[in-house]
């Protein structure tokens, strides 16, 4: 967690294929994470034009680990400002593709996700920094010790690009 930017610096999680896994009902709001000094609140995003974008996705964690894990994704320490077109569009679509399709084929995937900023970072009135883009790295560990990986960088402002337009090297 980055206290200065008031956002998660990055998240990492491991998903395992869970046939028949279900998500619970989404909570009605987001809770302040009292483990952080910045204490970002649900209301810090109200009327800003930004969604409360999950870095560790509630859908995938709910399907794989159950209702308690899904609820834990609704802490504000897991949330960053995302424009609605990204959050409800290609970002959500990719997260659900990972959870529904990639995971079934790969059986286990490690995911690393985080925000990227310009210098100086734009901020909401509450002081929460607004990323200019987001990265997501998937790693599939193959039996025998090898691995394959996929990396994406998605800007806040998206159009009708396909996912292949966001592919980058892990170094990038």
């Amino acid at each position: 967690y980055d206290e200065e930017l008031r956002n998660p610096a990055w998240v990492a999680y491991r998903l395992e294929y869970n046939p028949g896994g279900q998500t619970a009902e989404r909570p009605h709001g987001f809770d302040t994470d009292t483990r952080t000094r910045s204490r970002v609140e649900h209301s810090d995003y109200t009327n800003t034009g930004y969604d409360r974008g999950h870095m560790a996705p509630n859908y995938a964690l709910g399907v794989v680990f159950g209702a308690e894990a899904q609820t834990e994704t609704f802490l504000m320490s897991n949330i960053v400002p995302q424009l609605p077109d990204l959050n409800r569009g290609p970002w959500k679509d990719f997260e659900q593709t990972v959870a529904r399709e990639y995971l079934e084929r790969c059986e286990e995937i490690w995911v690393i996700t985080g925000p990227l900023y310009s210098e100086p970072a734009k901020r909401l009135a509450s002081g929460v920094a607004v990323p200019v883009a987001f990265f997501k790295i998937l790693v599939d560990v193959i039996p025998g010790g090898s691995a394959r990986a996929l990396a994406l960088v998605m800007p806040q402002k998206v159009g009708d690009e396909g996912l292949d337009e966001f592919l980058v090297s892990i170094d990038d």
Side-chain angles (χ1 to χ4, degrees), residues 20 22-23 25 28 47 56 60 74 83 86-87 90 92 103 120 124 132 135 141 170:
Q22 299 289 322
T23 60
E25 187 175 325
H28 295 293
N47 298 320
F74 284 83
L83 288 173
L86 174 64
N87 187 44
K92 175 185 173 185
L103 199 50
L124 302 179
V132 294
F135 70 88
V141 178
I170 291 176

Side-chain angles (χ1 to χ4, degrees), residues 90 157-166:
K157 294 183 180 172
V158 293
D160 58 358
E161 303 93 339
L163 283 177
D164 57 332
E165 296 294 319
F166 305 119

Side-chain angles (χ1 to χ4, degrees), residues 8-13 54-57 82 91 95 111-115 134-138:
W10 54 272
V11 300
Y13 50 94
H54 287 78
M55 291 291 89
Q82 280 187 325
W91 190 257
E95 287 179 335
V111 183
I112 304 143
T113 303
F134 302 89
F135 70 88
K136 190 173 289 290
I137 299 169
L138 307 180

Side-chain angles (χ1 to χ4, degrees), residues 1-145:
Y1 190 79
D2 188 318
E3 295 287 354
E4 182 181 322
L5 296 173
R6 304 185 67 177
N7 283 322
W10 54 272
V11 300
Y13 50 94
R14 181 180 58 84
L15 299 173
E16 292 179 346
Y17 181 56
N18 181 14
Q22 299 289 322
T23 60
E25 187 175 325
R26 287 174 60 106
H28 295 293
F30 295 78
D31 293 328
T32 298
D33 191 335
T34 58
R35 298 171 298 177
T36 65
R37 289 189 314 276
S38 58
R39 306 287 161 94
V40 177
E41 298 180 10
H42 178 99
S43 61
D44 289 342
Y45 285 61
T46 303
N47 298 320
T48 63
Y50 289 94
D51 283 356
R52 294 163 192 87
H54 287 78
M55 291 291 89
N58 82 89
Y59 178 81
L61 294 179
V63 166
V64 172
F65 298 108
E68 184 178 347
Q70 181 179 353
T71 299
E72 289 172 356
T73 70
F74 284 83
L75 288 172
M76 290 302 295
S77 58
N78 182 46
I79 302 302
V80 295
Q82 280 187 325
L83 288 173
D85 286 346
L86 174 64
N87 187 44
R88 301 172 200 176
W91 190 257
K92 175 185 173 185
D93 294 345
F94 185 61
E95 287 179 335
Q96 290 188 355
T97 297
V98 169
R100 291 181 182 148
E101 297 173 27
Y102 291 9
L103 199 50
E104 184 174 359
R105 282 186 258 154
C106 300
E107 295 188 17
E108 177 185 28
I109 299 174
W110 285 88
V111 183
I112 304 143
T113 303
L116 301 169
Y117 302 92
S118 62
E119 287 292 331
K122 177 182 170 184
R123 294 187 182 260
L124 302 179
S126 64
V128 173
V130 178
V132 294
F134 302 89
F135 70 88
K136 190 173 289 290
I137 299 169
L138 307 180
V139 179
D140 175 24
V141 178
I142 301 169

